[in-house]
Amino acid sequence: MIKVIIERHIADELGEHYEKTARATLQKAMQAHGFISGEALKDFNDPNHRIVIANYRTIHDWQHWLGSSERKEMMEQIRPMLDREEKFTILEH
């Protein structure tokens, strides 16, 4: 199993819109092959800093989701709300 930490920093005043779109993205990710679990968190000290922690069976499962058309479509909606690029950290046990 691997953990993928996705860090996003959203632009001011877009929190509510981001939350709606991020929830839809997580719901689609939950259907991806190898997805185990996930959670979306907000940085206590910086409400525009958002973190998604997702567990996948293998790195290949994550890479498949990362390159999927479903994720690309969702990111087309999320990307304009970000004020910097997403950051990924992949952890293994």
Side-chain angles (χ1 to χ4, degrees):
M1 181 178 78
I2 64 161
K3 283 191 183 294
V4 179
I5 300 172
I6 304 168
E7 294 185 67
R8 297 180 181 134
H9 201 274
I10 58 173
D12 289 334
E13 307 300 323
L14 293 177
E16 187 175 321
H17 188 61
Y18 170 83
E19 290 297 328
K20 179 181 172 187
T21 308
R23 274 193 299 276
T25 303
L26 186 56
Q27 288 174 347
K28 287 192 181 226
M30 290 169 59
Q31 299 169 19
H33 180 74
F35 181 88
I36 297 171
S37 64
E39 59 184 324
L41 306 165
K42 186 187 317 185
D43 186 330
F44 183 80
N45 293 310
D46 180 358
N48 289 342
H49 182 208
R50 307 303 172 90
I51 299 170
V52 175
I53 301 173
N55 296 303
Y56 285 85
R57 192 172 47 88
T58 69
I59 186 70
H60 300 293
D61 292 329
W62 158 248
Q63 290 170 336
H64 186 283
W65 167 247
L66 182 63
S68 72
S69 59
E70 292 92 346
R71 186 176 194 282
K72 289 178 181 176
E73 287 174 17
M74 296 307 292
M75 285 309 298
E76 285 178 14
Q77 296 175 41
I78 290 175
R79 196 167 287 113
M81 293 182 254
L82 304 179
D83 63 8
R84 59 189 81 152
E85 290 294 316
E86 292 183 291
K87 178 184 173 189
F88 301 104
T89 303
I90 301 172
L91 306 169
E92 61 183 346
H93 288 270

